[in-house]
Amino acid sequence: MKKFLFLILMICCACDSWQTQVGNYSISGVVSDQEGSQERLITGVSAVVTSSAGEKIYEGDVIPEGTVGGSYSINDIPQGEYEVVFRGDYYKSGSYVVSVSGDTVLDVELEPIRMMTVEQDEIRFESRVNEQTLTIRNLSETPISFGIRSDLPVGDLLFLDMSAPGLKPGDRGWHGTIDPMSSSDIRIKISRASMDNVEGTLQIFSTAPYNWERCEVPVVIETSQKDVCADLRGTVRDSDGNPLEGVAVWNSCSETVTYTDGNGEYSFEALPYLSMISTEVYSEYHAFQSQSVEYAVKEFVMDFTLEPVHKHITFDRKHVDFGEGRIVEGAEKEKIEVNAVSDTGEMVVFSIVSTTREADFAVNCNPASGTIRNTRKFEFTLARERSAGLGEYMRNLVVRTEDAGSYVFKVTYTNVE
């Protein structure tokens, strides 16, 4: 009898030991996002373990909120087939079927729920386009903190700025916050001083609650000559407000002369850099006038109102054409005479003004200054200088007076072999 009881006791102890052994298995591993990055391991994850018979074996947190790292372990799992469902804030649930016959390793990847989207697929700055909008939308019911970085080669030749309510610049870009279920329109402004076209990306990423949501938006900056030069336009009127047609307008940047149209309007495009833009207006029947403004990469508007003069000079020609000629060392200067008449017979004080600063300027006019009482002869001379090279050349000379208007002479010549 004693032997029988001892045998029963031994069997019971063995059963208890086996049950303890098979009930002491674990399911463990690492929970991460789909990229498997150890830098963005998910915290705040719960799990439900359900047997094949539908019995919940475990339900609860496996990675408490705020825990550093993504490792987990679910203990005391009996041998058998199980469905393990993992859930985390801002992630889609992940379901896994495992067969437990010993300690089991199960690494989990959860797919993020899109909380933040960017509406633009590309940001493109075309010629004369210096401002664009980047829209970031928060799709969640919690605030999102975000950051923006750029790999564009910003510096002296390209400057990039962003602005939006609550957006702040930092050492490595900009950062801000978007309220739940709302969006932020970010104005991106550039200024450029180089003709180079530029490509790069804007990197937009969430910084709270987790630093996993990222996207890149390509940026293309197309630059033309207009983007790094100034445009100038304006209207010339008389003292009664009437537009003046055919009035000559000159500026210091391009050193060219243009003429007003029937509406009294003129324009210069893509003026090269010069610290100041000086503009002069020459009219035969109005007093001389000039304006100056500091150069900037933009469009300038200079309007002029001219006062009439009561004297006038008549020239027998205003286009002086020396035609084609060869560059010959020691050759005499070519000469063309122009006759002038003072229409009123009153004395007119004049001076000759060159509209170019180029060193190869080979045309002169004599006299360069003086008076005209009745008639006066002007002698234009040309030396075909080698420094000018071959080809066609055009110069403007201006006869400017104090009380008899201003007169523009177009001088042309062509150097040949």
Side-chain angles (χ1 to χ4, degrees):
M1 183 66 176
K2 289 182 179 181
K3 290 182 179 181
F4 178 76
L5 292 175
F6 178 76
L7 180 60
I8 295 297
L9 180 62
M10 291 295 293
I11 293 174
C12 290
C13 289
C15 288
D16 288 343
S17 175
W18 178 79
Q19 288 179 349
T20 300
Q21 182 178 358
V22 298
N24 199 32
Y25 297 142
S26 67
I27 303 174
S28 62
V30 172
V31 182
S32 66
D33 65 8
Q34 285 187 319
E35 296 182 10
S37 172
Q38 297 299 307
E39 298 176 357
R40 297 192 298 276
L41 293 178
I42 301 171
T43 64
V45 178
S46 62
V48 176
V49 181
T50 306
S51 70
S52 57
E55 179 185 359
K56 287 185 179 180
I57 305 300
Y58 177 86
E59 182 176 11
D61 291 336
V62 291
I63 305 177
E65 184 73 39
T67 301
V68 177
S71 298
Y72 77 95
S73 180
I74 303 173
N75 300 315
D76 298 329
I77 303 298
Q79 180 176 335
E81 298 285 335
Y82 298 95
E83 180 189 27
V84 186
V85 178
F86 294 85
R87 297 185 176 93
D89 292 339
Y90 316 111
Y91 290 85
K92 296 180 181 179
S93 298
S95 178
Y96 297 83
V97 175
V98 295
S99 178
V100 175
S101 58
D103 290 339
T104 303
V105 176
L106 175 62
D107 290 334
V108 177
E109 293 182 354
L110 296 184
E111 180 183 353
I113 298 172
R114 294 293 291 177
M115 297 174 53
M116 181 181 73
T117 62
V118 178
E119 294 191 357
Q120 288 78 14
D121 295 327
E122 181 184 71
I123 300 292
R124 180 176 292 273
F125 295 91
E126 298 177 344
S127 179
R128 285 295 192 189
V129 176
N130 298 323
E131 183 174 321
Q132 291 287 16
T133 300
L134 175 71
T135 301
I136 304 176
R137 189 172 298 278
N138 182 357
L139 304 178
S140 73
E141 297 182 355
T142 60
I144 289 181
S145 296
F146 68 94
I148 303 176
R149 293 174 186 165
S150 166
D151 64 0
L152 292 167
V154 296
D156 294 337
L157 300 181
L158 177 65
F159 180 74
L160 177 69
D161 185 38
M162 297 190 190
S163 62
L167 188 69
K168 299 179 180 179
D171 294 337
R172 300 181 61 187
W174 296 263
H175 57 89
T177 302
I178 308 177
D179 292 331
M181 306 301 293
S182 62
S183 62
S184 177
D185 292 330
I186 299 171
R187 292 194 309 164
I188 306 174
K189 299 179 68 175
I190 64 168
S191 60
R192 44 198 162 184
S194 168
M195 285 291 292
D196 294 335
N197 294 331
V198 176
E199 295 184 5
T201 58
L202 294 180
Q203 302 163 4
I204 301 99
F205 53 92
S206 63
T207 57
Y210 304 117
N211 188 19
W212 47 254
E213 191 137 24
R214 298 169 180 263
C215 61
E216 291 188 350
V217 178
V219 179
V220 178
I221 300 175
E222 298 177 350
T223 304
S224 72
Q225 190 178 28
K226 287 186 176 182
D227 296 304
V228 295
C229 296
D231 288 347
L232 173 64
R233 64 180 177 86
T235 304
V236 181
R237 296 182 174 87
D238 62 19
S239 55
D240 294 326
N242 301 310
L244 296 175
E245 182 179 2
V247 174
V249 185
W250 169 90
N251 74 83
S252 58
C253 295
S254 66
E255 297 184 343
T256 58
V257 173
T258 189
Y259 292 85
T260 56
D261 61 17
N263 297 317
E265 297 176 351
Y266 72 92
S267 65
F268 295 92
E269 293 187 354
L271 297 179
Y273 177 80
L274 199 65
S275 58
M276 296 290 291
I277 295 180
S278 298
T279 305
E280 299 180 353
V281 176
Y282 314 124
S283 171
E284 296 185 11
Y285 301 96
H286 299 84
F288 167 78
Q289 194 175 130
S290 68
Q291 294 185 42
S292 295
V293 65
E294 186 176 354
Y295 188 99
V297 180
K298 64 175 185 178
E299 182 180 69
F300 292 93
V301 177
M302 289 188 186
D303 296 329
F304 293 84
T305 300
L306 304 184
E307 296 294 333
V309 293
H310 67 280
K311 301 178 184 180
H312 186 259
I313 303 172
T314 300
F315 294 87
D316 60 5
R317 73 172 75 182
K318 291 180 187 171
H319 181 193
V320 180
D321 185 7
F322 287 94
E324 293 185 349
R326 295 178 59 205
I327 301 174
V328 179
E329 294 291 344
E332 292 186 3
K333 293 182 179 180
E334 302 171 62
K335 300 178 182 179
I336 293 179
E337 292 183 348
V338 175
N339 296 306
V341 176
S342 174
D343 293 356
T344 63
E346 300 179 59
M347 184 177 68
V348 175
V349 178
F350 72 89
S351 61
I352 305 295
V353 180
S354 170
T355 62
T356 181
R357 296 185 300 271
E358 296 181 28
D360 63 355
F361 188 78
V363 177
N364 288 288
C365 182
N366 183 48
S369 61
T371 62
I372 302 174
R373 184 174 295 275
N374 290 307
T375 62
R376 188 84 194 222
K377 182 175 293 186
F378 292 83
E379 187 177 76
F380 289 82
T381 59
L382 170 67
R384 297 181 185 270
E385 297 181 2
R386 189 173 301 277
S387 60
L390 303 179
E392 184 179 359
Y393 290 85
M394 192 275 291
R395 299 286 185 265
N396 288 301
L397 293 179
V398 179
V399 178
R400 200 165 76 190
T401 74
E402 294 181 358
D403 51 4
S406 301
Y407 304 82
V408 179
F409 283 84
K410 181 180 179 181
V411 183
T412 57
Y413 60 97
T414 303
N415 291 335
V416 297
E417 291 285 358

